[in-house]
């Protein structure tokens, strides 16, 4: 641990949860929150019957109550003008938690629910209040293709291009998956001894934390010691809001000259930090009868909440993923955000893209379904459509796996076609898709085909297919875009020190093995040093250091440099390597074009479901996943990570029941390339594959996740009940009882012929 030198602050890491820490004479804090979503707080009164409690508000902030962010100023405490219900107005502190709870019940918040715009207008001010207090909507628009070029003084436009398509599918999708995590909640513990302020916090953004504290307290950063406590939460709100919580406790500790502890309850964490809001997509895909995409139109609507530090990055990442892995002759993508009087939208930084993958992969599957209901078409598998439209250059390029297209966004999709082929064969997708598709069409024609009163009728099944990539290190990030670097030191006593924030055990094992292999040093003599002097701490959030694809490359370069130097230079030898700028130039941020990620891994997955028409239960029968992510340094750890990720995704897919699957097959493509990030790939592929499997089984397209399990239950029960009534009535024509379904109009005969042909 670095020594606390005079005039120098320290940054250390402690393997304890903040909630488990305590200090002598510590005060307990509870957040006082606004009871209204907009308006003005006029006053707060306390009940004098509870003694020993103190209220801290914006008036007690010695420095600035506003801190800078990439998206503007953020309030530490509500300054009177309320942004959302539950916004922190202050902290109530007492000697123990029970006393503070009693005091909270006697706290009275007085407010005027008229928004501040009302007073500006009523005062006769001629200024434009809409400009001052508008929704501040943001938009990201991407247009590409010949339809946007000027001809005879006007543009054809994407709508005209779609209107001319031989096959057109239009869908609306809603994505609001929020995998439950029961990690440490946000919080902070702060103490002030009159000279130095010490913060215990699970913050992953130490440099931002220290900067905010110095600004709010109006002190030198050298007065602030930071001890980073244990945490693994990577949601966008957790990354930045822990700094605000630390500032709030620091203001209280600074004023009262006593240690102050504030830990969010699980309910507060879910209401104000882990805030997932529905993201809405409208997709229109135009294609020829062979399944080749001619036009794509995607419109995305996002509720960003009241204030959102990461909204720019969320918009960009969703926009990029709106093409998924595909190319089209003409592309239009519009992503819009609007502010609301709600807590900020929060997404896991590693899986921001998953919402777009869900929408586009589902749209591609509905395109395949429509093509397969056209009597003039032979059966086209969803896997074939995906291969046909992969965002790759035409055949003939020397290295097929690194080909580039002329689309706005270029990706390295390692072994994409091979991965799809392997999944297609290993999951027996062809035979299952043909059979389940035939049964689905038959059910739409006659409910009694599968839903009968017989106790021997078989269960109903469906299968879905999806592909996706995981992009590592988005070059356009305002938060993570700063140069990533890594420092490694060969000490004078022969040990090797890697200077990095704390890492997971699996990454530590990978790094240790790589360094040991290059330098010939025993693994026991390699250590991770996570302590820094002030000013030398990582500038970007520490979650960037868990990025295997970049950091293992930097570690390799550092070790190779040390290997060359130790033959002639005396010990200790310290080497630092940064991400090369030439790689970042592949992305044109101004034009929003090029290669947005340092590297990509790729995955393809199938999900097979079963609906029991007797018990009306839904189960997931099998999941197959094929992953291409470079060299797998620890196959057991990689497979365990993927399995854990799959189970987390499954348990978020439905409301009312946690889905699970015992039959999961995971395959990794062999490669000698640098290892890529693969831990979040399943979030890109499993949701859409599951939705398409359910849609095929039910015979009707589902368009949102999570699904309500009770709704599926009721739908299956209703279908069986209808079939039973029809059977009892002597086989009444179901066409008179059921609405037309455009996606189920092809004849059963043609599908059976395709199956017989062995396509």
């Amino acid at each position: 641990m670095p020594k606390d030198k005079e005039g120098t602050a320290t940054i250390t890491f402690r393997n304890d949860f903040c909630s488990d820490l305590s200090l002598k004479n510590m005060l307990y804090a509870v957040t006082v929150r606004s009871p209204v979503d907009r308006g003005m707080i006029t006053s707060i009164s306390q009940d004098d019957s509870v003694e020993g409690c103190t209220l801290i508000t914006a008036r007690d902030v010695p420095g600035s109550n506003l801190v800078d962010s990439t998206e503007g100023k953020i309030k530490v405490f509500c300054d009177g003008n309320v942004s959302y219900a539950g916004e922190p107005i202050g902290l109530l502190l007492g000697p123990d938690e029970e006393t503070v709870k009693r005091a909270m019940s006697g706290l009275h918040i007085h407010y005027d629910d008229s928004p501040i715009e009302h007073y500006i207008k009523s005062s006769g001010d001629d200024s434009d209040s809409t400009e001052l207090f508008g929704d501040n909507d943001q938009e990201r628009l991407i247009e590409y293709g010949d339809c946007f070029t000027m001809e005879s003084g006007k543009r054809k436009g994407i709508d005209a291009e779609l209107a001319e398509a031989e096959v057109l599918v239009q869908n609306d999708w809603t994505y609001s998956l929020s995998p439950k995590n029961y990690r440490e909640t946000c919080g902070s513990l702060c103490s002030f001894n009159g000279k130095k302020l010490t913060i215990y916090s699970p913050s992953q953004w130490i440099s931002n934390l220290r900067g905010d504290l110095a600004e709010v307290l109006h002190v030198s950063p050298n007065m602030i010691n930071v001890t980073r406590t244990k945490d693994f939460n990577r949601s966008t709100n957790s990354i930045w809001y822990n700094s605000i919580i630390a500032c709030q406790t620091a203001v209280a500790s600074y004023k009262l000259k006593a240690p102050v502890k504030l830990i969010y309850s699980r309910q507060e964490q879910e209401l104000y930090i882990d805030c997932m809001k529905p993201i809405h997509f409208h997709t229109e895909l135009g294609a020829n009868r062979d399944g080749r995409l001619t036009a794509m139109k995607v419109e995305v609507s996002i509720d960003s909440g009241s204030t959102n530090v990461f909204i720019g990055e969320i918009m960009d990442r969703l926009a990029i993923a709106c093409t998924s892995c595909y190319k089209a002759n003409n592309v239009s993508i519009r992503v819009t955000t609007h502010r609301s009087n709600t807590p900020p939208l929060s997404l896991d930084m590693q899986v921001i893209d998953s919402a777009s993958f869900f929408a586009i992969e589902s749209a591609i599957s509905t395109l395949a379904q429509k093509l397969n209901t056209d009597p003039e078409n032979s059966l086209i598998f969803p896997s074939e459509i995906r291969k046909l439209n992969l965002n790759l250059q035409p055949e003939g390029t020397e290295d097929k796996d690194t080909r580039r297209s002329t689309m706005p966004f270029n990706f390295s999709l390692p072994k994409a076609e091979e991965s799809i082929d392997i999944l297609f064969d290993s999951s027996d997708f062809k035979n299952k898709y043909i059979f389940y598709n035939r049964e689905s069409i038959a059910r739409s024609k006659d409910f009694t085909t599968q839903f009968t009163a017989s106790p021997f009728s078989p269960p109903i099944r469906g299968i879905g297919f999806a592909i996706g990539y995981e992009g590592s290190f988005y070059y356009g990030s305002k938060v993570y875009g700063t140069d990533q670097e890594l420092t490694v030191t060969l000490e004078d006593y022969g040990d090797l020190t890697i200077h990095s924030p704390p890492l997971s055990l699996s990454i530590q094992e990978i790094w240790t093995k790589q360094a040991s292999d290059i330098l010939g040093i025993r693994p026991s003599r390699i250590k991770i040093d996570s302590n820094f002097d002030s000013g030398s701490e990582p500038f970007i959030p520490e979650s960037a250091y868990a990025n295997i694809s970049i950091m293992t490359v930097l570690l390799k370069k550092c070790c190779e440099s040390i290997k060359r130097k130790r033959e002639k230079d005396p010990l200790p030898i310290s080497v630092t390597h940064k991400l090369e700028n030439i790689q970042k130039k592949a992305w044109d941020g101004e034009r929003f074009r090029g290669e947005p990620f340092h590297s990509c891994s790729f995955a393809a997955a199938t999900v097979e479901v079963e609906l029991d028409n007797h018990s009306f239960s839904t189960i997931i029968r099998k999941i197959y996943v094929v992953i291409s992510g470079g060299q797998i340094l620890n196959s057991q750890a990689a497979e365990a990570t993927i399995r854990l990720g799959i189970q987390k995704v499954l348990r978020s897919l439905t409301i009312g029941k946690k889905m699970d699957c015992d039959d999961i097959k995971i395959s990794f493509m062999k490669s000698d390339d640098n290892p890529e990030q693969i831990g979040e790939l399943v979030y890109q592929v499993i949701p859409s594959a599951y939705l398409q499997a359910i849609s095929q089984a039910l015979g009707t397209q589902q368009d949102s996740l999570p699904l309500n399990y009770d709704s599926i239950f009721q739908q299956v029960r209703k279908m069986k009940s209808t079939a039973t009534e029809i059977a009892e009535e002597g086989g009444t024509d179901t066409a008179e009882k059921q609405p037309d379904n455009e996606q189920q109009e092809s004849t059963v005969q043609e599908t059976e012929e395709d199956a017989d042909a062995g396509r």
Side-chain angles (χ1 to χ4, degrees):
M1 178 175 176
K3 294 181 179 179
D4 187 6
K5 301 176 184 177
E6 187 67 27
T8 301
T10 59
I11 297 91
T12 58
F13 291 79
R14 182 166 175 167
N15 194 30
D16 294 293
F17 290 113
C18 189
S19 57
D20 293 334
L21 302 179
S22 63
L23 297 173
K24 187 177 180 181
N25 300 321
M26 183 175 70
L27 298 177
Y28 291 86
V30 174
T31 305
V32 179
R33 300 184 180 277
S34 167
V36 292
D37 62 355
R38 60 187 310 179
M40 298 288 292
I41 302 297
T42 56
S43 64
I44 304 177
S45 59
Q46 289 180 261
D47 188 344
D48 295 334
S49 61
V50 180
E51 298 181 353
C53 290
T54 305
L55 179 65
I56 298 292
T57 67
R59 296 179 180 180
D60 299 299
V61 177
S64 174
N65 189 50
L66 299 172
V67 296
D68 288 318
S69 78
T70 56
E71 299 295 328
K73 297 283 188 179
I74 303 171
K75 292 182 284 188
V76 175
F77 291 113
C78 174
D79 52 7
N81 183 32
V82 177
S83 300
Y84 62 92
E87 182 179 12
I89 300 171
L91 296 183
L92 187 62
L93 303 102
D96 56 72
E97 294 174 282
E98 188 61 36
T99 301
V100 175
K101 287 180 181 178
R102 290 204 314 272
M104 277 289 288
S105 62
L107 204 63
H108 302 285
I109 302 172
H110 308 277
Y111 58 89
D112 183 341
D113 57 8
S114 299
I116 194 171
E117 299 96 312
H118 167 77
Y119 293 101
I120 291 180
K121 291 178 180 178
S122 62
S123 68
D125 193 337
D126 294 331
S127 61
D128 187 352
S129 62
T130 302
E131 181 179 346
L132 291 173
F133 302 100
D135 287 339
N136 292 330
D137 292 355
Q138 298 184 50
E139 179 180 279
R140 170 67 74 184
L141 177 63
I142 301 145
E143 295 179 333
Y144 160 82
D146 293 339
C147 74
F148 297 107
T149 59
M150 298 295 292
E151 293 183 7
S152 303
K154 64 178 182 179
R155 301 194 307 174
K156 182 179 180 180
I158 193 68
D159 291 330
E161 191 70 34
L162 286 164
E164 296 174 1
E166 293 180 323
V167 182
L168 176 66
V169 291
Q170 302 181 57
N171 299 94
D172 291 298
W173 312 97
T174 301
Y175 181 93
S176 54
L177 284 188
S178 182
K180 292 283 185 183
N181 82 70
Y182 297 98
R183 300 164 178 161
E184 172 83 338
T185 59
C186 289
S188 175
L189 170 60
C190 180
S191 67
F192 179 61
N193 63 9
K195 294 182 179 180
K196 286 287 180 77
L197 187 87
T198 300
I199 284 282
Y200 300 85
S201 170
S203 172
Q204 296 187 37
W205 202 356
I206 302 298
S207 63
N208 178 71
L209 170 64
R210 293 181 68 246
D212 289 347
L213 285 168
E215 190 175 353
V216 170
L217 298 178
H218 195 57
V219 299
S220 167
N222 287 332
M223 283 184 60
I224 303 168
N225 294 325
V226 177
T227 297
R228 159 70 157 84
T229 55
K230 194 174 180 181
D231 178 58
F232 303 102
N233 202 325
R234 303 169 307 180
S235 71
T236 52
N237 283 358
S238 289
I239 290 174
W240 69 270
Y241 202 76
N242 264 311
S243 295
I244 300 298
I245 294 174
C247 288
Q248 293 170 352
T249 57
V251 168
S253 181
Y254 190 79
K255 180 176 181 178
L256 301 178
K257 304 296 187 294
V260 173
K261 181 179 180 179
L262 172 64
I263 301 295
Y264 273 25
S265 66
R266 181 60 57 188
Q267 182 182 30
E268 286 179 302
Q269 184 79 15
E270 293 179 356
L271 287 175
Y272 306 115
I273 303 299
D274 299 332
C275 306
M276 181 61 190
K277 306 176 194 296
I279 301 176
H280 302 284
F281 295 82
H282 174 74
T283 62
E284 297 183 36
L285 302 184
N288 61 28
R289 296 192 183 280
D290 294 329
R292 189 177 296 278
L293 291 172
T294 58
M296 295 178 66
K297 179 181 178 181
V298 186
E299 295 179 341
V300 188
S301 177
I302 308 169
D303 179 354
S304 62
S306 60
T307 303
N308 200 309
V309 171
F310 283 91
I311 193 58
E313 185 150 347
I314 290 172
M315 288 179 64
D316 289 354
R317 293 274 297 276
L318 287 175
I320 292 169
C322 275
T323 61
S324 187
C325 304
Y326 309 113
K327 61 184 176 183
N329 297 334
N330 300 277
V331 175
S332 173
I333 299 170
R334 187 188 302 271
V335 181
T336 58
T337 69
H338 63 276
R339 295 180 62 181
S340 64
N341 293 97
T342 59
L345 165 72
S346 185
L347 299 173
D348 189 314
M349 280 300 299
Q350 305 300 115
V351 295
I352 287 176
D353 331 72
S354 60
S356 291
F357 279 105
F358 158 74
I360 305 307
E361 287 301 301
S362 298
I364 289 288
S365 292
T366 60
L367 173 61
Q369 190 176 5
K370 184 163 186 177
L371 287 167
N372 290 333
T373 59
D374 187 341
E376 298 181 9
N377 264 20
S378 58
L379 193 65
I380 302 176
F381 294 109
S383 53
E384 291 177 337
I385 290 180
R386 286 170 166 85
K387 286 178 61 179
L388 182 66
N389 292 289
L390 279 175
N391 186 4
L392 300 172
Q393 286 283 17
E395 295 292 338
T397 308
E398 287 186 10
D399 185 1
K400 178 170 69 173
D401 291 330
T402 58
R403 292 172 296 184
R404 297 290 184 268
S405 78
T406 54
M407 283 284 287
F409 313 125
N410 301 321
F411 314 101
S412 293
L413 302 177
K415 302 184 182 297
E417 293 161 303
E418 295 92 326
S419 299
I420 293 174
D421 288 339
I422 289 174
L423 178 68
F424 185 82
D425 294 335
S426 62
S427 65
D428 194 22
F429 183 79
K430 179 178 72 173
N431 292 328
K432 290 178 179 178
Y433 181 79
I434 291 173
F435 181 77
Y436 299 160
N437 193 57
R438 183 193 67 191
E439 294 299 304
S440 179
I441 293 172
R443 285 193 298 273
S444 72
K445 298 292 182 181
D446 182 2
F447 270 14
T448 59
T449 302
Q450 286 295 318
F451 292 95
T452 67
S454 169
F456 304 105
S457 54
I460 307 135
R461 292 173 180 170
I463 190 167
F465 195 106
I467 65 173
Y469 64 78
E470 180 178 349
S472 295
F473 192 82
Y474 168 49
Y475 289 136
S477 174
K478 293 181 180 179
V479 176
Y480 290 83
T482 306
D483 287 339
Q484 283 189 246
E485 65 177 35
L486 186 69
T487 299
V488 180
T489 302
L490 183 60
E491 309 290 355
D492 51 11
Y493 46 86
D495 285 0
L496 188 75
T497 302
I498 303 172
H499 303 277
S500 166
L503 303 166
S504 66
L505 290 176
S506 60
I507 294 180
Q508 286 187 48
E509 291 175 2
I510 291 171
W511 282 22
T512 300
K513 183 179 186 304
Q514 185 178 46
S516 176
D517 290 345
I518 295 173
L519 295 172
I521 298 175
R522 292 198 308 272
S524 60
R525 303 194 66 180
I526 299 173
K527 64 178 182 178
I528 308 293
D529 185 3
S530 298
N531 297 321
F532 301 87
D533 289 326
S534 64
S536 65
E537 71 273 14
F539 186 74
I540 56 180
E542 67 184 57
S543 55
Y545 284 76
N547 191 313
I548 294 177
S549 62
I550 295 177
M551 301 313 296
T552 52
V553 171
L554 296 182
L555 177 62
K556 182 179 179 180
K557 289 183 177 181
C558 288
C559 291
E560 288 174 344
S561 296
I562 290 175
K563 185 177 181 179
R564 291 192 300 268
K565 288 185 176 185
R566 70 178 176 182
E567 297 178 0
K568 55 182 179 179
D569 294 349
L571 301 180
I573 300 172
S574 188
V575 175
T576 300
H577 274 282
K578 295 183 178 181
L579 185 68
E580 296 178 4
N581 287 329
I582 190 172
Q583 294 173 298
K584 298 175 72 173
K585 290 180 180 178
W587 175 247
D588 185 343
E590 291 186 8
R591 296 178 59 245
F592 208 67
R593 294 287 191 275
E595 189 167 357
F597 300 109
H598 170 267
S599 57
C600 293
S601 54
F602 179 85
T606 61
V607 175
E608 186 180 355
V609 301
E610 178 176 296
L611 308 179
D612 192 305
N613 61 6
H614 301 294
S615 66
F616 311 121
S617 62
T618 305
I619 64 170
I620 298 177
R621 298 188 70 241
K622 292 182 180 180
I623 293 176
Y624 286 85
V625 182
V626 176
I627 290 175
S628 178
Q631 184 181 10
I632 304 298
L633 300 176
N634 187 330
S635 58
Q636 288 184 335
E639 182 170 336
T641 298
I642 299 300
R643 286 185 181 277
L644 179 61
I646 290 174
Q647 298 296 353
K648 286 182 178 179
V649 174
L650 295 184
R651 292 173 186 180
S652 67
L653 293 175
T654 56
I655 299 171
K657 179 182 178 182
K658 292 181 179 179
M659 303 301 295
D660 212 332
C661 181
D662 296 326
D663 193 351
I664 299 174
K665 300 291 190 298
I666 300 169
S667 301
F668 297 101
M669 300 293 289
K670 292 184 178 180
S671 175
D672 293 326
D673 295 338
N674 289 324
E676 305 290 351
Q677 201 77 8
I678 63 172
E680 321 303 330
L681 272 169
V682 293
Y683 290 87
Q684 324 290 41
V685 293
I686 297 297
S688 174
Y690 170 77
L691 191 81
Q692 295 313 305
I694 287 288
S695 298
Q696 187 181 57
L698 291 174
T700 179
Q701 180 62 56
Q702 307 298 302
D703 58 13
S704 65
L705 282 180
L707 291 171
N708 191 312
Y709 187 80
D710 289 339
S711 297
I712 300 174
F713 174 92
Q714 295 297 338
Q715 193 166 353
V716 176
R717 187 168 70 172
K718 182 178 180 180
M719 293 166 76
K720 182 181 178 182
S721 176
T722 303
T724 302
E725 291 175 5
I726 293 171
E728 291 175 350
E729 291 173 6
T732 305
D733 185 5
T734 59
E736 297 178 359
K737 293 180 174 290
Q738 299 303 317
D740 290 337
N741 186 335
E742 182 184 8
Q743 296 177 340
Q744 301 289 359
E745 290 182 349
S746 70
T747 62
V748 179
Q749 179 182 358
E750 184 193 352
T751 311
E752 290 174 334
E753 289 173 353
D754 286 326
D756 293 339
R759 283 182 54 83

